[in-house]
Amino acid sequence: MDLISVSSSNLKAVGYDPASQTLQIAFRNGGRYEYYNVPPAIHAALMAASSKGSYFDARIKNASYRYRKLR
């Protein structure tokens, strides 16, 4: 999955696979996670958000998406 660098103090890069609805996020602290069954609209809103870190916290991290740490 290709990741796109984003302007954020917390998130480094974001990738998305619409076929599997898998969102991948690389954090500035070095962690990388995959989140599953994330609708395309959530990914689009994350990429459009003025504060990607705040959007991630409110709409992805606290939304109980299943996830796993990649590294």
Side-chain angles (χ1 to χ4, degrees), residues 46-70:
L46 170 65
M47 298 307 285
S50 60
S51 174
K52 290 172 180 44
S54 294
Y55 185 89
F56 168 77
D57 285 344
R59 299 295 178 128
I60 299 166
K61 180 180 176 183
N62 294 327
S64 301
Y65 288 108
R66 191 172 56 86
Y67 69 92
R68 75 177 176 115
K69 185 173 184 177
L70 299 177

Side-chain angles (χ1 to χ4, degrees), residues 1 16-22 37-38 40:
M1 177 182 308
Y16 187 68
D17 177 17
S20 65
Q21 294 191 338
T22 301
N37 300 312
V38 177

Side-chain angles (χ1 to χ4, degrees), residues 2 6-7 9 11 15-16 19 33 40-41 51-54 63 68:
D2 292 331
V6 294
S7 178
S9 61
L11 283 58
Y16 187 68
Y33 290 80
S51 174
K52 290 172 180 44
S54 294
R68 75 177 176 115

